[in-house]
Every structure is written in structure tokens, then in C-alpha cells.
Amino acid sequence: MNAVQQLLREYDRARAYTDQLWRDLSPDELTWRPHEESSAIGWHLGHQAHVAHFMIRNLTAAEPSPDPELDALMDSANPEKFRGALPTVARLGEFRDVVAERVHARIGDIAGGRVGAPDQLAIVATHLLTAVINHEYQHDQWIGEVRSRDLGHALPPDPEADGLCRVDGYLVLTGAC
């Protein structure tokens, strides 16, 4: 298995961990905000997917957004106090799933050499996927804090993978753990 394919597995592991953090929460818990200058768990879920798709489409392929109406809302440049009107839980879950399918399709094409400049894009894809994975875990930290501290739910155990460790309290895929 090449490095890009291994990173796709790590991407799936990171997404599975995120799912453990939110799938058992109620819609009210997913949209609740600790205060006005804080984002709801649901926003973080949409933002994780938005960033993954934004990075993949802008660095490897010109592909339209799977849900253009969510783009501005899920962009972190949007101030937190304006992140309150979230879509339904079903729409967030669907958005996350569609983005993951598109990440797999595009990165799978790169891993299979079905792109122009396949060697160059394979290098880009390894760095890109590592960043996407670490971004997923970055927001998982906040989701986990709100889940446990504010909502009183237990946290799942950390995922285990070679090169995955905690740095400054955050799960990070570094390859050097």
C-alpha cells in the first residue's frame, strides 16, 4: 500500500473518531453554544468537512462544492457570533459523508496515477491529507471538551495508529511519535 492509500485509511480513522464524539448526541446538544463567541459542535462538524473539500478541490482539482449554501457558514473567517443558524443534523451528516466520498475519489485517482503529473500530485496529496487529518483532530479536541465538560458525556478512547500522538493536548499525525 502506498503512502497516499495509507493516509486515506488514517483519514477514515480520524472521521470514525469524530463520529464517536457526536453521533450519540441529541440535535439540541449539537446546536448548543457555550456562549455567543463560541461555535456549536455542529458547526465544527460542518467546518471539518468544508475545509477538507476546500483544500482538496483547490489544490488538486477544480470541483464544485457539494453544498454551496454551507460554504460561507462553515468558513472560519465567518465570526463565531454569526455561526448560529446551523443546518439539520441529517444535512450535516450527509455533507460530511459526501465530502469524504469526494476526498476518497480524488485522492484515489491520485494514488492510482489517474491524473496529470501523478508523481507531483502524490507528493501534494501526502501533505494535503496529513493536514486534513490533523485539522479533523484539531476540531475533535474542542468537540470532546464540550462533550465532556459542558454536556457531561464520556469521551471515547483515543484512536491508535502509528505516528499518532498528542501534542499540546491535540491528537496529531506526525509520523514521529
Side-chain angles (χ1 to χ4, degrees):
M1 183 179 321
N2 70 33
V4 175
Q5 291 167 325
Q6 285 180 296
L7 285 168
L8 277 172
R9 292 176 85 176
E10 293 305 321
Y11 172 65
D12 291 341
R13 184 187 325 269
R15 289 189 71 252
Y17 180 69
T18 304
D19 284 348
Q20 290 178 348
L21 291 170
W22 78 275
R23 290 279 183 189
D24 65 337
L25 300 179
S26 71
D28 286 342
E29 289 172 317
L30 290 170
T31 58
W32 177 78
R33 297 168 63 180
H35 52 79
E36 185 181 84
E37 295 298 323
S38 181
S39 302
I41 288 173
W43 180 87
H44 288 270
L45 297 169
H47 174 73
Q48 287 167 314
H50 168 73
V51 168
H53 189 263
F54 181 83
M55 290 177 70
I56 298 296
R57 79 174 187 225
N58 283 312
L59 297 176
T60 69
E63 181 178 281
S65 172
D67 194 334
E69 292 178 10
L70 294 182
D71 287 347
L73 176 63
M74 298 304 171
D75 190 331
S76 59
N78 190 13
E80 287 179 322
K81 65 182 176 181
F82 300 121
R83 298 179 188 171
L86 296 174
T88 65
V89 173
R91 186 172 174 194
L92 280 173
E94 182 179 314
F95 179 61
R96 289 179 58 80
D97 291 344
V98 168
V99 167
E101 290 169 9
R102 289 185 177 191
V103 167
H104 270 271
R106 182 60 181 160
I107 299 301
D109 285 346
I110 292 169
R114 295 180 298 276
V115 294
D119 294 335
Q120 183 267 350
L121 275 178
I123 293 167
V124 170
T126 59
H127 295 287
L128 180 59
L129 274 174
T130 301
V132 166
I133 292 163
N134 287 331
H135 180 258
E136 185 86 9
Y137 284 134
Q138 175 189 1
H139 287 271
D140 285 350
Q141 180 65 29
W142 190 91
I143 292 168
E145 289 170 1
V146 171
R147 174 189 172 86
S148 64
R149 180 192 64 222
D150 298 317
L151 300 175
H153 294 282
L155 291 173
D158 285 351
E160 294 182 17
D162 291 339
L164 183 64
C165 58
R166 286 203 174 264
V167 175
D168 294 333
Y170 293 83
L171 284 168
V172 179
L173 185 64
T174 69
C177 299

